[in-house]
Amino acid sequence: MSEKLALVTGASRGIGRACAIELAKCGYDIIVNYAGNSEAAAKTVEDIKALGVEAEAYKFDVSNSKDVNENVARIVEKYGRIDILINNAGITRDDLFIRMDEEKWNAVINTNLNSAFYVAKPVVKVMMKQRSGAIVNMASVVGVYGNIGQANYSAAKAGLIGFTKSLAKELGSRNIRVNAVAPGFIATDMTKDLKNTDEYLKLISLRKMGTPEDIAAAVKFLAVDTSYVTGQVLEVDGGLVI
Ligand code: NAI
């Protein structure tokens, strides 16, 4: 077991998986949170262990505070510390506002925004005792600029950005840094069914979608490489918005 532990939510695939692997390469033991796909989570754990650090999968629903509290308590009991938290888990339930029902609104707010509150609460207590820690919240460019069909998602991501800045101000004196990454279009399961991809590509200065590894590099910068950046939102979007 190493001296350093990172908890990554939604780490069985996509951006979360890439972040978990990147942090493992930096020598962190990794807690791989996942919602349902045990096989994918086990594969992530296996790939991380191959890098020479410890990894363990914890199945819990980040939108359920009881589930979160029970599992974070188990993690803290076993490992005694949490150095990095990546609040990555997220979903989309897109629809035009006029058609958006409460179920779609609540599902996205609960999974993408309330989850960050639920997970950060017990984790920050541990970080405060350690007098050190880094949190990175996975926002989105649409949380800054808005997007048609994503009133729920952009509200949740904008909320995460406000949450990031407030926590950074509250926790800086305890040597806990809190930042956000705002990805643009990244090739993952979340975006695989997007229509009119060519139209989106025309809007991106670099004319290509990003990879989960592009986001993981930014997460590593904020969580590991720097010690004097807090309260920031790093847009990683290939120049989608300049
Ligand atoms: P993905 O759909 O491939 O992965 C999402 C992960 O979150 C999965 O591992 C899923 O199991 C997990 N998850 C969902 N609900 C959960 C719950 N209730 N409890 C625990 N885990 C849960 O999507 P992707 O693209 O990897 O997204 C990761 C994050 O990046 C999300 O927060 C997303 O909003 C954000 N993002 C993605 C962009 C993209 O273009 N792919 C752009 C901007 C932000």
Side-chain angles (χ1 to χ4, degrees):
M1 221 183 272
S2 97
E3 295 286 290
K4 308 181 285 186
L5 187 78
L7 163 58
V8 185
T9 68
S12 57
R13 65 169 195 245
I15 292 171
R17 176 185 148 88
C19 292
I21 287 174
E22 190 64 30
L23 295 175
K25 287 180 185 164
C26 299
Y28 286 79
D29 291 336
I30 310 288
I31 302 296
V32 173
N33 158 254
Y34 70 104
N37 190 339
S38 308
E39 233 168 78
K43 171 83 172 90
T44 303
V45 165
E46 189 188 313
D47 292 348
I48 291 171
K49 283 184 170 170
L51 296 167
V53 296
E54 282 302 315
E56 205 179 350
Y58 276 71
K59 180 179 176 181
F60 58 90
D61 175 358
V62 293
S63 70
N64 178 325
S65 61
K66 187 169 171 285
D67 209 11
V68 168
N69 285 327
E70 283 171 7
N71 281 280
V72 174
R74 280 174 54 214
I75 295 163
V76 173
E77 196 180 329
K78 179 160 178 186
Y79 293 86
R81 59 186 301 116
I82 298 176
D83 300 280
I84 294 176
L85 165 63
I86 313 298
N87 275 319
N88 165 78
I91 58 168
T92 50
R93 294 284 183 276
D94 296 352
D95 217 337
L96 289 176
F97 175 67
I98 205 73
R99 287 202 300 250
M100 187 173 286
D101 57 23
E102 260 186 70
E103 195 279 322
K104 283 182 173 158
W105 176 266
N106 288 332
V108 169
I109 299 292
N110 285 332
T111 305
N112 297 16
L113 178 60
N114 292 344
S115 60
F117 172 79
Y118 299 147
V119 181
K121 205 72 192 287
V123 170
V124 161
K125 280 187 190 150
V126 179
M127 290 179 169
M128 284 174 85
K129 279 193 198 134
Q130 289 165 189
R131 289 204 154 259
S132 71
I135 299 174
V136 180
N137 296 315
M138 201 56 68
S140 165
V141 286
V142 311
V144 184
Y145 303 101
N147 197 22
I148 291 171
Q150 292 198 306
N152 50 359
Y153 186 79
S154 52
K157 296 300 189 183
L160 264 185
I161 290 171
F163 178 70
T164 299
K165 293 180 179 181
S166 295
L167 282 200
K169 288 188 174 185
E170 280 190 33
L171 301 174
S173 63
R174 308 297 183 108
N175 192 30
I176 300 168
R177 296 180 304 101
V178 189
N179 290 289
V181 172
F185 290 106
I186 310 302
T188 66
D189 284 1
M190 186 174 271
T191 49
K192 72 179 186 322
D193 297 329
L194 266 185
K195 295 179 186 80
N196 305 325
T197 324
D198 286 350
E199 292 305 309
Y200 288 117
L201 291 183
K202 282 185 200 153
L203 303 172
I204 302 171
S205 302
L206 292 176
R207 298 288 190 275
K208 60 180 180 183
M209 290 180 86
T211 64
E213 290 71 26
D214 289 326
I215 304 305
V219 165
K220 172 184 171 271
F221 166 70
L222 291 171
V224 179
D225 295 342
T226 173
S227 57
Y228 201 56
V229 176
T230 196
Q232 301 304 303
V233 182
L234 180 51
E235 291 178 20
V236 184
D237 65 358
L240 173 65
V241 189
I242 296 177

PDB file of all heavy atoms in Angstrom, residues 10-16 33-35 60-63 88-91 111-112 138-140 153 157 183-186 188-191, ligand 1:
ATOM      1  N   GLY A  10     -17.103   7.213 -10.761  1.00  0.00           N
ATOM      2  CA  GLY A  10     -17.398   6.864 -12.154  1.00  0.00           C
ATOM      3  C   GLY A  10     -16.148   6.481 -12.915  1.00  0.00           C
ATOM      4  O   GLY A  10     -15.915   6.932 -14.036  1.00  0.00           O
ATOM      5  N   ALA A  11     -15.336   5.613 -12.294  1.00  0.00           N
ATOM      6  CA  ALA A  11     -14.001   5.343 -12.860  1.00  0.00           C
ATOM      7  C   ALA A  11     -13.929   4.037 -13.643  1.00  0.00           C
ATOM      8  O   ALA A  11     -12.855   3.613 -14.027  1.00  0.00           O
ATOM      9  CB  ALA A  11     -12.965   5.334 -11.740  1.00  0.00           C
ATOM     10  N   SER A  12     -15.071   3.405 -13.890  1.00  0.00           N
ATOM     11  CA  SER A  12     -15.011   2.125 -14.600  1.00  0.00           C
ATOM     12  C   SER A  12     -14.761   2.322 -16.095  1.00  0.00           C
ATOM     13  O   SER A  12     -14.298   1.417 -16.774  1.00  0.00           O
ATOM     14  CB  SER A  12     -16.308   1.340 -14.387  1.00  0.00           C
ATOM     15  OG  SER A  12     -17.413   2.102 -14.801  1.00  0.00           O
ATOM     16  N   ARG A  13     -15.070   3.499 -16.605  1.00  0.00           N
ATOM     17  CA  ARG A  13     -14.861   3.735 -18.047  1.00  0.00           C
ATOM     18  C   ARG A  13     -14.660   5.236 -18.322  1.00  0.00           C
ATOM     19  O   ARG A  13     -14.753   6.054 -17.413  1.00  0.00           O
ATOM     20  CB  ARG A  13     -16.057   3.223 -18.835  1.00  0.00           C
ATOM     21  CG  ARG A  13     -17.347   3.978 -18.548  1.00  0.00           C
ATOM     22  CD  ARG A  13     -18.439   3.604 -19.538  1.00  0.00           C
ATOM     23  NE  ARG A  13     -19.517   4.562 -19.469  1.00  0.00           N
ATOM     24  CZ  ARG A  13     -20.748   4.273 -19.064  1.00  0.00           C
ATOM     25  NH1 ARG A  13     -21.062   3.064 -18.679  1.00  0.00           N
ATOM     26  NH2 ARG A  13     -21.671   5.224 -19.046  1.00  0.00           N
ATOM     27  N   GLY A  14     -14.371   5.514 -19.572  1.00  0.00           N
ATOM     28  CA  GLY A  14     -14.338   6.908 -20.035  1.00  0.00           C
ATOM     29  C   GLY A  14     -13.316   7.780 -19.319  1.00  0.00           C
ATOM     30  O   GLY A  14     -12.194   7.350 -19.034  1.00  0.00           O
ATOM     31  N   ILE A  15     -13.716   9.007 -19.053  1.00  0.00           N
ATOM     32  CA  ILE A  15     -12.814   9.998 -18.469  1.00  0.00           C
ATOM     33  C   ILE A  15     -12.364   9.568 -17.065  1.00  0.00           C
ATOM     34  O   ILE A  15     -11.192   9.721 -16.706  1.00  0.00           O
ATOM     35  CB  ILE A  15     -13.514  11.379 -18.437  1.00  0.00           C
ATOM     36  CG1 ILE A  15     -13.705  11.887 -19.877  1.00  0.00           C
ATOM     37  CG2 ILE A  15     -12.728  12.372 -17.596  1.00  0.00           C
ATOM     38  CD1 ILE A  15     -14.573  13.143 -19.993  1.00  0.00           C
ATOM     39  N   GLY A  16     -13.286   9.020 -16.280  1.00  0.00           N
ATOM     40  CA  GLY A  16     -12.946   8.598 -14.911  1.00  0.00           C
ATOM     41  C   GLY A  16     -11.865   7.531 -14.914  1.00  0.00           C
ATOM     42  O   GLY A  16     -10.918   7.585 -14.121  1.00  0.00           O
ATOM     43  N   ASN A  33     -14.533   3.990  -7.973  1.00  0.00           N
ATOM     44  CA  ASN A  33     -15.993   3.924  -7.733  1.00  0.00           C
ATOM     45  C   ASN A  33     -16.692   3.641  -9.059  1.00  0.00           C
ATOM     46  O   ASN A  33     -16.268   4.106 -10.115  1.00  0.00           O
ATOM     47  CB  ASN A  33     -16.498   5.251  -7.148  1.00  0.00           C
ATOM     48  CG  ASN A  33     -17.996   5.435  -7.383  1.00  0.00           C
ATOM     49  OD1 ASN A  33     -18.404   6.229  -8.236  1.00  0.00           O
ATOM     50  ND2 ASN A  33     -18.806   4.664  -6.705  1.00  0.00           N
ATOM     51  N   TYR A  34     -17.762   2.855  -8.968  1.00  0.00           N
ATOM     52  CA  TYR A  34     -18.561   2.601 -10.175  1.00  0.00           C
ATOM     53  C   TYR A  34     -20.012   2.377  -9.758  1.00  0.00           C
ATOM     54  O   TYR A  34     -20.304   2.098  -8.592  1.00  0.00           O
ATOM     55  CB  TYR A  34     -18.020   1.405 -10.953  1.00  0.00           C
ATOM     56  CG  TYR A  34     -18.235   0.075 -10.274  1.00  0.00           C
ATOM     57  CD1 TYR A  34     -19.225  -0.801 -10.720  1.00  0.00           C
ATOM     58  CD2 TYR A  34     -17.464  -0.301  -9.178  1.00  0.00           C
ATOM     59  CE1 TYR A  34     -19.431  -2.020 -10.093  1.00  0.00           C
ATOM     60  CE2 TYR A  34     -17.669  -1.520  -8.549  1.00  0.00           C
ATOM     61  CZ  TYR A  34     -18.648  -2.374  -9.007  1.00  0.00           C
ATOM     62  OH  TYR A  34     -18.864  -3.564  -8.376  1.00  0.00           O
ATOM     63  N   ALA A  35     -20.907   2.497 -10.755  1.00  0.00           N
ATOM     64  CA  ALA A  35     -22.338   2.408 -10.443  1.00  0.00           C
ATOM     65  C   ALA A  35     -22.893   1.009 -10.675  1.00  0.00           C
ATOM     66  O   ALA A  35     -23.686   0.515  -9.882  1.00  0.00           O
ATOM     67  CB  ALA A  35     -23.109   3.415 -11.286  1.00  0.00           C
ATOM     68  N   PHE A  60     -20.902   2.104  -5.507  1.00  0.00           N
ATOM     69  CA  PHE A  60     -21.940   2.904  -4.845  1.00  0.00           C
ATOM     70  C   PHE A  60     -22.474   3.970  -5.781  1.00  0.00           C
ATOM     71  O   PHE A  60     -21.817   4.401  -6.714  1.00  0.00           O
ATOM     72  CB  PHE A  60     -21.481   3.495  -3.507  1.00  0.00           C
ATOM     73  CG  PHE A  60     -20.265   4.380  -3.543  1.00  0.00           C
ATOM     74  CD1 PHE A  60     -20.391   5.750  -3.744  1.00  0.00           C
ATOM     75  CD2 PHE A  60     -18.996   3.857  -3.335  1.00  0.00           C
ATOM     76  CE1 PHE A  60     -19.271   6.582  -3.730  1.00  0.00           C
ATOM     77  CE2 PHE A  60     -17.864   4.674  -3.335  1.00  0.00           C
ATOM     78  CZ  PHE A  60     -18.011   6.033  -3.530  1.00  0.00           C
ATOM     79  N   ASP A  61     -23.716   4.338  -5.484  1.00  0.00           N
ATOM     80  CA  ASP A  61     -24.433   5.316  -6.295  1.00  0.00           C
ATOM     81  C   ASP A  61     -24.155   6.702  -5.719  1.00  0.00           C
ATOM     82  O   ASP A  61     -24.605   7.023  -4.616  1.00  0.00           O
ATOM     83  CB  ASP A  61     -25.933   4.975  -6.238  1.00  0.00           C
ATOM     84  CG  ASP A  61     -26.802   6.002  -6.945  1.00  0.00           C
ATOM     85  OD1 ASP A  61     -26.260   6.999  -7.451  1.00  0.00           O
ATOM     86  OD2 ASP A  61     -28.032   5.792  -6.971  1.00  0.00           O
ATOM     87  N   VAL A  62     -23.429   7.529  -6.464  1.00  0.00           N
ATOM     88  CA  VAL A  62     -23.023   8.841  -5.927  1.00  0.00           C
ATOM     89  C   VAL A  62     -24.215   9.776  -5.696  1.00  0.00           C
ATOM     90  O   VAL A  62     -24.078  10.782  -5.002  1.00  0.00           O
ATOM     91  CB  VAL A  62     -21.992   9.547  -6.843  1.00  0.00           C
ATOM     92  CG1 VAL A  62     -20.668   8.806  -6.862  1.00  0.00           C
ATOM     93  CG2 VAL A  62     -22.537   9.754  -8.250  1.00  0.00           C
ATOM     94  N   SER A  63     -25.376   9.434  -6.263  1.00  0.00           N
ATOM     95  CA  SER A  63     -26.548  10.297  -6.052  1.00  0.00           C
ATOM     96  C   SER A  63     -27.340   9.894  -4.810  1.00  0.00           C
ATOM     97  O   SER A  63     -28.388  10.464  -4.533  1.00  0.00           O
ATOM     98  CB  SER A  63     -27.449  10.266  -7.289  1.00  0.00           C
ATOM     99  OG  SER A  63     -28.068   9.008  -7.417  1.00  0.00           O
ATOM    100  N   ASN A  88     -16.134  12.783 -10.677  1.00  0.00           N
ATOM    101  CA  ASN A  88     -16.231  12.643 -12.140  1.00  0.00           C
ATOM    102  C   ASN A  88     -17.572  12.083 -12.618  1.00  0.00           C
ATOM    103  O   ASN A  88     -18.013  12.398 -13.721  1.00  0.00           O
ATOM    104  CB  ASN A  88     -15.090  11.732 -12.635  1.00  0.00           C
ATOM    105  CG  ASN A  88     -15.325  11.238 -14.044  1.00  0.00           C
ATOM    106  OD1 ASN A  88     -15.125  11.962 -15.014  1.00  0.00           O
ATOM    107  ND2 ASN A  88     -15.806   9.994 -14.170  1.00  0.00           N
ATOM    108  N   ALA A  89     -18.211  11.235 -11.811  1.00  0.00           N
ATOM    109  CA  ALA A  89     -19.423  10.535 -12.275  1.00  0.00           C
ATOM    110  C   ALA A  89     -20.453  11.539 -12.796  1.00  0.00           C
ATOM    111  O   ALA A  89     -20.666  12.593 -12.196  1.00  0.00           O
ATOM    112  CB  ALA A  89     -20.025   9.714 -11.145  1.00  0.00           C
ATOM    113  N   GLY A  90     -21.064  11.186 -13.904  1.00  0.00           N
ATOM    114  CA  GLY A  90     -22.077  12.085 -14.454  1.00  0.00           C
ATOM    115  C   GLY A  90     -22.903  11.397 -15.522  1.00  0.00           C
ATOM    116  O   GLY A  90     -22.491  10.386 -16.092  1.00  0.00           O
ATOM    117  N   ILE A  91     -24.084  11.968 -15.771  1.00  0.00           N
ATOM    118  CA  ILE A  91     -24.985  11.430 -16.799  1.00  0.00           C
ATOM    119  C   ILE A  91     -25.578  12.597 -17.598  1.00  0.00           C
ATOM    120  O   ILE A  91     -25.508  13.749 -17.166  1.00  0.00           O
ATOM    121  CB  ILE A  91     -26.161  10.624 -16.176  1.00  0.00           C
ATOM    122  CG1 ILE A  91     -26.962  11.510 -15.198  1.00  0.00           C
ATOM    123  CG2 ILE A  91     -25.663   9.363 -15.500  1.00  0.00           C
ATOM    124  CD1 ILE A  91     -28.287  10.895 -14.761  1.00  0.00           C
ATOM    125  N   THR A 111     -27.330  13.316  -9.883  1.00  0.00           N
ATOM    126  CA  THR A 111     -26.113  12.548 -10.219  1.00  0.00           C
ATOM    127  C   THR A 111     -24.920  13.448 -10.481  1.00  0.00           C
ATOM    128  O   THR A 111     -23.785  13.085 -10.171  1.00  0.00           O
ATOM    129  CB  THR A 111     -26.379  11.648 -11.452  1.00  0.00           C
ATOM    130  OG1 THR A 111     -27.512  10.830 -11.163  1.00  0.00           O
ATOM    131  CG2 THR A 111     -25.191  10.764 -11.757  1.00  0.00           C
ATOM    132  N   ASN A 112     -25.138  14.622 -11.049  1.00  0.00           N
ATOM    133  CA  ASN A 112     -24.007  15.472 -11.457  1.00  0.00           C
ATOM    134  C   ASN A 112     -23.663  16.562 -10.443  1.00  0.00           C
ATOM    135  O   ASN A 112     -22.534  17.028 -10.441  1.00  0.00           O
ATOM    136  CB  ASN A 112     -24.299  16.149 -12.802  1.00  0.00           C
ATOM    137  CG  ASN A 112     -24.466  15.160 -13.934  1.00  0.00           C
ATOM    138  OD1 ASN A 112     -24.651  13.959 -13.706  1.00  0.00           O
ATOM    139  ND2 ASN A 112     -24.412  15.646 -15.150  1.00  0.00           N
ATOM    140  N   MET A 138     -15.517  17.447 -12.139  1.00  0.00           N
ATOM    141  CA  MET A 138     -15.626  17.372 -13.599  1.00  0.00           C
ATOM    142  C   MET A 138     -16.834  18.197 -14.038  1.00  0.00           C
ATOM    143  O   MET A 138     -17.976  17.761 -13.921  1.00  0.00           O
ATOM    144  CB  MET A 138     -15.770  15.911 -14.037  1.00  0.00           C
ATOM    145  CG  MET A 138     -15.387  15.672 -15.472  1.00  0.00           C
ATOM    146  SD  MET A 138     -13.698  16.213 -15.862  1.00  0.00           S
ATOM    147  CE  MET A 138     -12.743  15.018 -14.910  1.00  0.00           C
ATOM    148  N   ALA A 139     -16.561  19.402 -14.498  1.00  0.00           N
ATOM    149  CA  ALA A 139     -17.638  20.283 -14.971  1.00  0.00           C
ATOM    150  C   ALA A 139     -17.827  20.038 -16.463  1.00  0.00           C
ATOM    151  O   ALA A 139     -17.720  18.907 -16.939  1.00  0.00           O
ATOM    152  CB  ALA A 139     -17.291  21.732 -14.658  1.00  0.00           C
ATOM    153  N   SER A 140     -18.069  21.081 -17.214  1.00  0.00           N
ATOM    154  CA  SER A 140     -18.224  20.978 -18.668  1.00  0.00           C
ATOM    155  C   SER A 140     -18.235  22.392 -19.230  1.00  0.00           C
ATOM    156  O   SER A 140     -18.669  23.334 -18.541  1.00  0.00           O
ATOM    157  CB  SER A 140     -19.543  20.288 -19.016  1.00  0.00           C
ATOM    158  OG  SER A 140     -19.845  20.487 -20.387  1.00  0.00           O
ATOM    159  N   TYR A 153     -28.351  19.638 -17.476  1.00  0.00           N
ATOM    160  CA  TYR A 153     -26.915  19.326 -17.426  1.00  0.00           C
ATOM    161  C   TYR A 153     -26.084  20.600 -17.222  1.00  0.00           C
ATOM    162  O   TYR A 153     -25.173  20.635 -16.402  1.00  0.00           O
ATOM    163  CB  TYR A 153     -26.543  18.632 -18.733  1.00  0.00           C
ATOM    164  CG  TYR A 153     -25.136  18.093 -18.831  1.00  0.00           C
ATOM    165  CD1 TYR A 153     -24.775  16.889 -18.234  1.00  0.00           C
ATOM    166  CD2 TYR A 153     -24.166  18.776 -19.568  1.00  0.00           C
ATOM    167  CE1 TYR A 153     -23.486  16.384 -18.358  1.00  0.00           C
ATOM    168  CE2 TYR A 153     -22.884  18.275 -19.701  1.00  0.00           C
ATOM    169  CZ  TYR A 153     -22.543  17.080 -19.095  1.00  0.00           C
ATOM    170  OH  TYR A 153     -21.266  16.589 -19.228  1.00  0.00           O
ATOM    171  N   LYS A 157     -23.691  21.499 -14.071  1.00  0.00           N
ATOM    172  CA  LYS A 157     -22.263  21.770 -14.251  1.00  0.00           C
ATOM    173  C   LYS A 157     -21.914  23.197 -13.804  1.00  0.00           C
ATOM    174  O   LYS A 157     -20.837  23.432 -13.253  1.00  0.00           O
ATOM    175  CB  LYS A 157     -21.853  21.536 -15.709  1.00  0.00           C
ATOM    176  CG  LYS A 157     -21.995  20.078 -16.169  1.00  0.00           C
ATOM    177  CD  LYS A 157     -21.138  19.125 -15.350  1.00  0.00           C
ATOM    178  CE  LYS A 157     -21.109  17.717 -15.930  1.00  0.00           C
ATOM    179  NZ  LYS A 157     -20.337  16.773 -15.096  1.00  0.00           N
ATOM    180  N   PRO A 183     -14.439  19.943 -19.665  1.00  0.00           N
ATOM    181  CA  PRO A 183     -14.150  19.367 -20.978  1.00  0.00           C
ATOM    182  C   PRO A 183     -15.109  19.873 -22.044  1.00  0.00           C
ATOM    183  O   PRO A 183     -16.256  20.249 -21.757  1.00  0.00           O
ATOM    184  CB  PRO A 183     -14.372  17.860 -20.770  1.00  0.00           C
ATOM    185  CG  PRO A 183     -14.426  17.642 -19.294  1.00  0.00           C
ATOM    186  CD  PRO A 183     -14.958  18.931 -18.725  1.00  0.00           C
ATOM    187  N   GLY A 184     -14.628  19.833 -23.292  1.00  0.00           N
ATOM    188  CA  GLY A 184     -15.504  20.081 -24.433  1.00  0.00           C
ATOM    189  C   GLY A 184     -16.058  18.754 -24.929  1.00  0.00           C
ATOM    190  O   GLY A 184     -16.603  17.994 -24.139  1.00  0.00           O
ATOM    191  N   PHE A 185     -15.891  18.452 -26.230  1.00  0.00           N
ATOM    192  CA  PHE A 185     -16.379  17.170 -26.769  1.00  0.00           C
ATOM    193  C   PHE A 185     -15.301  16.104 -26.639  1.00  0.00           C
ATOM    194  O   PHE A 185     -14.265  16.183 -27.292  1.00  0.00           O
ATOM    195  CB  PHE A 185     -16.765  17.319 -28.244  1.00  0.00           C
ATOM    196  CG  PHE A 185     -17.988  18.144 -28.440  1.00  0.00           C
ATOM    197  CD1 PHE A 185     -17.896  19.432 -28.925  1.00  0.00           C
ATOM    198  CD2 PHE A 185     -19.242  17.636 -28.114  1.00  0.00           C
ATOM    199  CE1 PHE A 185     -19.030  20.212 -29.089  1.00  0.00           C
ATOM    200  CE2 PHE A 185     -20.380  18.407 -28.278  1.00  0.00           C
ATOM    201  CZ  PHE A 185     -20.275  19.699 -28.757  1.00  0.00           C
ATOM    202  N   ILE A 186     -15.574  15.121 -25.818  1.00  0.00           N
ATOM    203  CA  ILE A 186     -14.596  14.062 -25.568  1.00  0.00           C
ATOM    204  C   ILE A 186     -15.210  12.735 -26.023  1.00  0.00           C
ATOM    205  O   ILE A 186     -16.385  12.450 -25.723  1.00  0.00           O
ATOM    206  CB  ILE A 186     -14.254  13.999 -24.054  1.00  0.00           C
ATOM    207  CG1 ILE A 186     -13.896  15.402 -23.511  1.00  0.00           C
ATOM    208  CG2 ILE A 186     -13.125  12.993 -23.809  1.00  0.00           C
ATOM    209  CD1 ILE A 186     -12.737  16.091 -24.194  1.00  0.00           C
ATOM    210  N   THR A 188     -16.264   9.448 -25.684  1.00  0.00           N
ATOM    211  CA  THR A 188     -16.566   8.428 -24.662  1.00  0.00           C
ATOM    212  C   THR A 188     -17.966   7.876 -24.956  1.00  0.00           C
ATOM    213  O   THR A 188     -18.637   8.314 -25.897  1.00  0.00           O
ATOM    214  CB  THR A 188     -16.607   9.038 -23.236  1.00  0.00           C
ATOM    215  OG1 THR A 188     -17.721   9.939 -23.164  1.00  0.00           O
ATOM    216  CG2 THR A 188     -15.330   9.770 -22.879  1.00  0.00           C
ATOM    217  N   ASP A 189     -18.433   6.970 -24.109  1.00  0.00           N
ATOM    218  CA  ASP A 189     -19.790   6.438 -24.259  1.00  0.00           C
ATOM    219  C   ASP A 189     -20.834   7.560 -24.235  1.00  0.00           C
ATOM    220  O   ASP A 189     -21.870   7.478 -24.883  1.00  0.00           O
ATOM    221  CB  ASP A 189     -20.113   5.458 -23.114  1.00  0.00           C
ATOM    222  CG  ASP A 189     -19.418   4.124 -23.327  1.00  0.00           C
ATOM    223  OD1 ASP A 189     -18.689   3.985 -24.328  1.00  0.00           O
ATOM    224  OD2 ASP A 189     -19.606   3.219 -22.485  1.00  0.00           O
ATOM    225  N   MET A 190     -20.517   8.619 -23.457  1.00  0.00           N
ATOM    226  CA  MET A 190     -21.487   9.711 -23.302  1.00  0.00           C
ATOM    227  C   MET A 190     -21.772  10.414 -24.626  1.00  0.00           C
ATOM    228  O   MET A 190     -22.871  10.910 -24.854  1.00  0.00           O
ATOM    229  CB  MET A 190     -20.973  10.715 -22.264  1.00  0.00           C
ATOM    230  CG  MET A 190     -21.943  11.804 -21.912  1.00  0.00           C
ATOM    231  SD  MET A 190     -21.347  12.857 -20.574  1.00  0.00           S
ATOM    232  CE  MET A 190     -21.959  11.999 -19.140  1.00  0.00           C
ATOM    233  N   THR A 191     -20.780  10.459 -25.496  1.00  0.00           N
ATOM    234  CA  THR A 191     -20.926  11.236 -26.734  1.00  0.00           C
ATOM    235  C   THR A 191     -21.028  10.346 -27.983  1.00  0.00           C
ATOM    236  O   THR A 191     -21.120  10.856 -29.095  1.00  0.00           O
ATOM    237  CB  THR A 191     -19.719  12.195 -26.911  1.00  0.00           C
ATOM    238  OG1 THR A 191     -18.516  11.449 -26.710  1.00  0.00           O
ATOM    239  CG2 THR A 191     -19.768  13.334 -25.923  1.00  0.00           C
TER     240      THR A 191
HETATM  241  P1  NAI B   1     -19.311   7.963 -19.385  1.00  0.00           P
HETATM  242  O1  NAI B   1     -20.763   7.832 -19.532  1.00  0.00           O
HETATM  243  O2  NAI B   1     -18.406   7.175 -20.244  1.00  0.00           O
HETATM  244  O3  NAI B   1     -18.874   7.705 -17.870  1.00  0.00           O
HETATM  245  C1  NAI B   1     -19.622   8.182 -16.799  1.00  0.00           C
HETATM  246  C2  NAI B   1     -19.221   7.406 -15.581  1.00  0.00           C
HETATM  247  O4  NAI B   1     -20.022   7.838 -14.467  1.00  0.00           O
HETATM  248  C3  NAI B   1     -19.492   5.920 -15.753  1.00  0.00           C
HETATM  249  O5  NAI B   1     -18.428   5.190 -15.206  1.00  0.00           O
HETATM  250  C4  NAI B   1     -20.785   5.712 -14.957  1.00  0.00           C
HETATM  251  O6  NAI B   1     -20.915   4.404 -14.454  1.00  0.00           O
HETATM  252  C5  NAI B   1     -20.562   6.705 -13.832  1.00  0.00           C
HETATM  253  N1  NAI B   1     -21.819   7.009 -13.145  1.00  0.00           N
HETATM  254  C6  NAI B   1     -22.953   7.495 -13.680  1.00  0.00           C
HETATM  255  N2  NAI B   1     -23.905   7.597 -12.731  1.00  0.00           N
HETATM  256  C7  NAI B   1     -23.321   7.189 -11.560  1.00  0.00           C
HETATM  257  C8  NAI B   1     -23.784   7.074 -10.236  1.00  0.00           C
HETATM  258  N3  NAI B   1     -25.032   7.394  -9.895  1.00  0.00           N
HETATM  259  N4  NAI B   1     -22.929   6.609  -9.285  1.00  0.00           N
HETATM  260  C9  NAI B   1     -21.651   6.271  -9.604  1.00  0.00           C
HETATM  261  N5  NAI B   1     -21.163   6.370 -10.856  1.00  0.00           N
HETATM  262  C10 NAI B   1     -21.992   6.817 -11.824  1.00  0.00           C
HETATM  263  O7  NAI B   1     -19.034   9.517 -19.559  1.00  0.00           O
HETATM  264  P2  NAI B   1     -17.697  10.377 -19.608  1.00  0.00           P
HETATM  265  O8  NAI B   1     -17.725  11.081 -20.891  1.00  0.00           O
HETATM  266  O9  NAI B   1     -16.517   9.592 -19.214  1.00  0.00           O
HETATM  267  O10 NAI B   1     -18.051  11.442 -18.476  1.00  0.00           O
HETATM  268  C11 NAI B   1     -17.336  11.618 -17.277  1.00  0.00           C
HETATM  269  C12 NAI B   1     -17.613  12.999 -16.738  1.00  0.00           C
HETATM  270  O11 NAI B   1     -17.147  13.979 -17.671  1.00  0.00           O
HETATM  271  C13 NAI B   1     -19.087  13.303 -16.520  1.00  0.00           C
HETATM  272  O12 NAI B   1     -19.262  14.055 -15.335  1.00  0.00           O
HETATM  273  C14 NAI B   1     -19.453  14.130 -17.725  1.00  0.00           C
HETATM  274  O13 NAI B   1     -20.547  14.970 -17.473  1.00  0.00           O
HETATM  275  C15 NAI B   1     -18.175  14.900 -17.935  1.00  0.00           C
HETATM  276  N6  NAI B   1     -18.043  15.468 -19.267  1.00  0.00           N
HETATM  277  C16 NAI B   1     -17.961  14.655 -20.378  1.00  0.00           C
HETATM  278  C17 NAI B   1     -17.858  15.217 -21.634  1.00  0.00           C
HETATM  279  C18 NAI B   1     -17.755  14.396 -22.878  1.00  0.00           C
HETATM  280  O14 NAI B   1     -17.758  14.975 -23.968  1.00  0.00           O
HETATM  281  N7  NAI B   1     -17.662  13.080 -22.800  1.00  0.00           N
HETATM  282  C19 NAI B   1     -17.845  16.676 -21.818  1.00  0.00           C
HETATM  283  C20 NAI B   1     -17.936  17.426 -20.597  1.00  0.00           C
HETATM  284  C21 NAI B   1     -18.042  16.820 -19.383  1.00  0.00           C
END
